[in-house]
C-alpha cells in the first residue's frame, strides 16, 4: 500500500505537513516552517485550510493581485520603502509566506503580504503564499487589516482609512476619530492632512512611511496656499517628470534624501506662483536743495523741511492750518 506524502514526511521528520493554528504565534511558526498546509481560524469564526503555493518570479505580476481594500498604498512600495525586508529577501529568499485567496479566474488575491509581493518582484525572487478558497470579502478584509499590524501604515494610509470612517458615518468628527482609532487628535489631524495631499506630491519621496507629522503639515500648508490653477500646474510639473524627484536627488540615506526632496518641492511651488510686480515707492523730490523736499503718494503729501528758524516754522504751520480748514 502506498504511503501518502504527508504520512511519509511525518515518519521521516517527526512532524506532519499540516498545521492547525489557533493563535498568531502558532500561525507564524507554521509559516516559518513553510508547512504545506495550515489550518487558520479566520476572524474567530471558522477554520480554513490554506495551501502553500510558489509563484515564479516572472509570473507574480500576472498571476497575483493585491486585495482592493488593502489599506497599504501599493504605489509607495519601492526599494526604500521595502528596505527593511528587501536585503534579507535578496540574500535568502522569502522567509514568511504571504496569505491570500483564489479568485474565480485562477489568479491569487494577496490579503496579507503586499510588501513581500513587491519585494519579490523587485528582487526577482519566487513568491510564497498560503492560498485558500471560499474566503468571503469580510474575512478577506479581516486578514488584510491584521496583516498591516506588522508594519505600521503611513500617515497618508491612516488618513485614507479615517476619511472612509467619516464618509460612512461611523464617526462624526476628528474627536470621535481619535477615540475610535485610539490615538491623539494631533495624529488624526496630521493623517487627514496627509490624505488630502495629491499622490504625485507624496510619490516624490523615497518612502512615504518615513514622512512625519511636521513634514506633512509643512507640505499641506505649502500646497493649499496655492490656488486651484496653481495646484494643477504644480501637480502637472511633478507628473511630467520622467523620474520621481527622489531618484534625481544627489544624496545618500533616507533622511537626507527626504530633506532634499522637500527643498525641491518648495522651490517648485514657488515657480508656479505668478511673480507679483513690486510696486515702486514714490521718490522724494527736492524743492530747495538742502532745505525742502516732498514725496507725493496718491492723495498723500509728505514735506521735509530743514534749517528753519522758530519764526519760519510757526508761519508755515499757521498757513497750513488755515489753508486746510
Amino acid at each position: 500500500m502506498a504511503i501518502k506524502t504527508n504520512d511519509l514526511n511525518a515518519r521521516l521528520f517527526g512532524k506532519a505537513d499540516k498545521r492547525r493554528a489557533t493563535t498568531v504565534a502558532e500561525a507564524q511558526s507554521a509559516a516559518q516552517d513553510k508547512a504545506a498546509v495550515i489550518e487558520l481560524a479566520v476572524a474567530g469564526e471558522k477554520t480554513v485550510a490554506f495551501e502553500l503555493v510558489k509563484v515564479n518570479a516572472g509570473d507574480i505580476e500576472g498571476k497575483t493581485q493585491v486585495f482592493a481594500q488593502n489599506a497599504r498604498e501599493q504605489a509607495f512600495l519601492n526599494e526604500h520603502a521595502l528596505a527593511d525586508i528587501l536585503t534579507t529577501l535578496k540574500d535568502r529568499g522569502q522567509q514568511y509566506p504571504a496569505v491570500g485567496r483564489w479568485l474565480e479566474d485562477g489568479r491569487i488575491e494577496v490579503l496579507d503580504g503586499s510588501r513581500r509581493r513587491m519585494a519579490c518582484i523587485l528582487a526577482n525572487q519566487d513568491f510564497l503564499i498560503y492560498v485558500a478558497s471560499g474566503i468571503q470579502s469580510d474575512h478577506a478584509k479581516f486578514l488584510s487589516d491584521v496583516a498591516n499590524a506588522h508594519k505600521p501604515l503611513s500617515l497618508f494610509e491612516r488618513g485614507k482609512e479615517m476619511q472612509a470612517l467619516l464618509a460612512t458615518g461611523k464617526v462624526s468628527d476628528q474627536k470621535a476619530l481619535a477615540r475610535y482609532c485610539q490615538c491623539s487628535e494631533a495624529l488624526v489631524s496630521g493623517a487627514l492632512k496627509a490624505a488630502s495631499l495629491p499622490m504625485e506630491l507624496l510619490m516624490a519621496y523615497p518612502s512615504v512611511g518615513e514622512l512625519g507629522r511636521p513634514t506633512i503639515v509643512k507640505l499641506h500648508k505649502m500646497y493649499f496656499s496655492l490656488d486651484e490653477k496653481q495646484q494643477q500646474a504644480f501637480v502637472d510639473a511633478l507628473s511630467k517628470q520622467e523620474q520621481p524627484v527622489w531618484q534625481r536627488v544627489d544624496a545618500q540615506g533616507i533622511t537626507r534624501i527626504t530633506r532634499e526632496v522637500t527643498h525641491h518641492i518648495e522651490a517648485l511651488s514657488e515657480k508656479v506662483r505668478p511673480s507679483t510686480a513690486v510696486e515702486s515707492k514714490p521718490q522724494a523730490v527736492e524743492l530747495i536743495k538742502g532745505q525742502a523736499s516732498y514725496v507725493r503718494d496718491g492723495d498723500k503729501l509728505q514735506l521735509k523741511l530743514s534749517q528753519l528758524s522758530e519764526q519760519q516754522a510757526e508761519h508755515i504751520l499757521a498757513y497750513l492750518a488755515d489753508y486746510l480748514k
Side-chain angles (χ1 to χ4, degrees):
M1 182 176 178
I3 301 176
K4 293 182 179 180
T5 302
N6 287 355
D7 294 335
L8 179 60
N9 285 339
R11 294 182 187 184
L12 291 176
F13 304 109
K15 64 180 181 181
D17 275 350
K18 190 170 185 177
R19 295 285 190 89
R20 178 181 295 275
T22 57
T23 66
V24 174
E26 290 175 358
Q28 290 177 339
S29 176
Q32 186 176 25
D33 294 340
K34 299 183 180 66
V37 177
I38 61 172
E39 291 182 341
L40 183 64
V42 179
E45 294 183 15
K46 64 176 182 177
T47 301
V48 180
F50 289 81
E51 173 191 4
L52 184 62
V53 174
K54 182 176 77 171
V55 182
N56 293 331
D59 297 330
I60 298 174
E61 291 187 88
K63 293 186 176 180
T64 70
Q65 69 179 46
V66 177
F67 182 48
Q69 296 181 51
N70 190 315
R72 201 173 298 284
E73 178 55 59
Q74 300 303 298
F76 297 154
L77 299 183
N78 56 45
E79 53 263 40
H80 284 284
L82 299 170
D84 57 320
I85 62 174
L86 200 52
T87 301
T88 303
L89 193 142
K90 286 179 178 178
D91 294 340
R92 291 181 284 175
Q94 185 181 347
Q95 299 300 299
Y96 291 90
V99 174
R101 63 176 177 175
W102 290 109
L103 297 174
E104 292 182 359
D105 61 5
R107 291 184 302 150
I108 297 171
E109 189 170 55
V110 181
L111 307 176
D112 168 8
S114 66
R115 298 180 77 247
R116 279 163 282 175
R117 173 183 178 273
M118 182 55 71
C120 285
I121 292 173
L122 294 175
N124 195 32
Q125 293 278 359
D126 295 340
F127 180 48
L128 300 176
I129 181 168
Y130 282 112
V131 192
S133 299
I135 302 293
Q136 300 173 1
S137 295
D138 54 342
H139 289 162
K141 178 63 175 167
F142 169 81
L143 289 170
S144 179
D145 289 344
V146 168
N148 288 330
H150 302 316
K151 176 72 174 179
L153 296 174
S154 67
L155 277 175
F156 173 86
E157 291 159 339
R158 294 194 69 176
K160 285 296 184 184
E161 288 193 320
M162 291 176 185
Q163 284 181 339
L165 290 170
L166 288 169
T168 56
K170 284 191 175 181
V171 293
S172 57
D173 54 27
Q174 291 193 21
K175 286 188 177 181
L177 265 175
R179 291 193 297 270
Y180 186 90
C181 299
Q182 298 182 344
C183 63
S184 67
E185 288 185 44
L187 192 148
V188 169
S189 175
L192 291 175
K193 280 183 169 64
S196 68
L197 294 172
M199 287 286 291
E200 292 84 355
L201 169 56
L202 294 171
M203 289 182 68
Y205 287 89
S207 177
V208 176
E210 300 297 325
L211 295 181
R213 197 158 53 86
T215 302
I216 289 295
V217 170
K218 178 190 290 188
L219 293 175
H220 185 272
K221 182 178 180 181
M222 177 215 70
Y223 180 73
F224 286 98
S225 68
L226 304 173
D227 62 32
E228 188 173 342
K229 187 176 180 180
Q230 293 165 357
Q231 288 177 353
Q232 188 59 54
F234 176 78
V235 170
D236 289 344
L238 285 173
S239 59
K240 288 177 181 176
Q241 297 174 357
E242 294 183 1
Q243 293 179 311
V245 176
W246 67 266
Q247 290 186 346
R248 294 181 283 110
V249 167
D250 185 19
Q252 297 294 324
I254 194 80
T255 302
R256 291 186 61 188
I257 294 174
T258 298
R259 185 167 57 246
E260 290 300 317
V261 170
T262 300
H263 293 331
H264 181 93
I265 292 292
E266 290 174 327
L268 183 59
S269 72
E270 290 302 318
K271 285 183 181 179
V272 301
R273 296 179 195 272
S275 55
T276 54
V278 178
E279 295 183 5
S280 58
K281 293 183 178 180
Q283 299 297 313
V285 178
E286 195 168 49
L287 191 62
I288 300 174
K289 189 173 182 179
Q291 273 191 294
S293 63
Y294 69 90
V295 176
R296 187 82 168 94
D297 184 9
D299 61 352
K300 300 180 182 66
L301 177 66
Q302 296 178 354
L303 282 173
K304 184 177 181 181
L305 305 174
S306 59
Q307 300 178 19
L308 293 178
S309 65
E310 189 71 27
Q311 187 179 18
Q312 288 174 316
E314 288 178 0
H315 288 168
I316 291 171
L317 291 172
Y319 172 77
L320 287 174
D322 182 65
Y323 182 80
L324 296 174
K325 281 182 180 178

